[in-house]
Amino acid sequence: MIKVYRKTETIKAEQFDCSDEMVNRYGLIDRGGHIVDGLHVDNMCFVPTLEGKMKINLHDWIATGANGEHWPIEDDVFKKTYAELPVIPKNVAKHIVTEHGLSDLIPIWGGIYRAMIQTVVYGYQKGDTGDWIINHSDMFARAWLDGYVVEEEK
């Protein structure tokens, strides 16, 4: 029987631009297995991977896995397969992961309920955690399920 699966690990990735910086950072090699020295005419080189060298073209992506391994992903495949993690405020992130691990949803829904009651009874409570979650519910759900990046302090 065929089962359906989803990816559960996040990756880091950047789009390949043939820059010397990227060539050096990822130790890219040419067709002969030599370290790339300057831009090739065909805008293509190879990424050393756990499975051997794999071709990468300009505008493809270099992915980095959980153990620091790299592999190329064609641009069209990358865009169909991956999405950036949502960026959420620090006060919201504290409600997803506490010092005890992944938080229980009950207190979060309580905060949303309080925010809704405050809006009805006292007027709009702009800026609190429940307000943010109400106004960004899709992003909050994605952050809860897939992970997130905490917004930088201003």
Side-chain angles (χ1 to χ4, degrees), residues 136-148:
H136 301 89
S137 57
D138 288 350
M139 189 183 304
F140 179 77
R142 285 272 57 97
W144 185 278
L145 293 170
D146 299 335
Y148 56 88

Side-chain angles (χ1 to χ4, degrees), residues 74-116:
E74 291 179 8
D75 185 49
D76 60 332
V77 172
F78 184 85
K79 289 176 180 173
K80 291 176 189 172
T81 309
Y82 295 94
E84 283 187 59
L85 291 179
V87 178
I88 65 172
K90 188 175 183 178
N91 63 327
V92 174
K94 284 190 227 176
H95 289 280
I96 293 177
V97 177
T98 68
E99 63 274 3
H100 306 293
L102 192 61
S103 180
D104 186 357
L105 277 173
I106 300 296
I108 291 169
W109 296 128
I112 293 170
Y113 176 75
R114 283 190 301 282
M116 289 174 13

Side-chain angles (χ1 to χ4, degrees), residues 2-144:
I2 296 176
K3 296 181 180 181
V4 178
Y5 293 87
R6 66 178 175 83
K7 293 182 179 188
T8 58
E9 189 71 34
T10 59
I11 63 165
K12 293 181 179 178
E14 65 180 318
Q15 197 165 26
F16 182 53
D17 62 5
C18 285
S19 68
D20 288 340
E21 180 184 337
M22 287 187 78
V23 166
N24 293 331
R25 181 170 39 251
Y26 296 106
L28 301 182
I29 54 179
D30 64 16
R31 291 176 199 262
H34 305 95
I35 299 297
V36 173
D37 183 24
L39 181 64
H40 285 283
V41 176
D42 56 5
N43 291 332
M44 182 265 307
C45 25
F46 293 84
V47 178
T49 73
L50 298 175
E51 289 81 28
K53 65 181 183 178
M54 296 179 73
K55 182 177 82 160
I56 185 165
N57 294 303
L58 179 65
H59 303 302
D60 286 349
W61 293 78
I62 298 178
T64 303
N67 298 319
E69 71 280 14
H70 304 296
W71 68 92
I73 305 172
E74 291 179 8
D75 185 49
D76 60 332
V77 172
F78 184 85
K79 289 176 180 173
K80 291 176 189 172
T81 309
Y82 295 94
E84 283 187 59
L85 291 179
V87 178
I88 65 172
K90 188 175 183 178
N91 63 327
V92 174
K94 284 190 227 176
H95 289 280
I96 293 177
V97 177
T98 68
E99 63 274 3
H100 306 293
L102 192 61
S103 180
D104 186 357
L105 277 173
I106 300 296
I108 291 169
W109 296 128
I112 293 170
Y113 176 75
R114 283 190 301 282
M116 289 174 13
I117 294 300
Q118 287 175 348
T119 300
V120 171
V121 176
Y122 302 109
Y124 190 65
Q125 298 295 313
K126 187 168 175 56
D128 69 357
T129 303
D131 169 60
W132 190 94
I133 294 171
I134 289 169
N135 289 301
H136 301 89
S137 57
D138 288 350
M139 189 183 304
F140 179 77
R142 285 272 57 97
W144 185 278

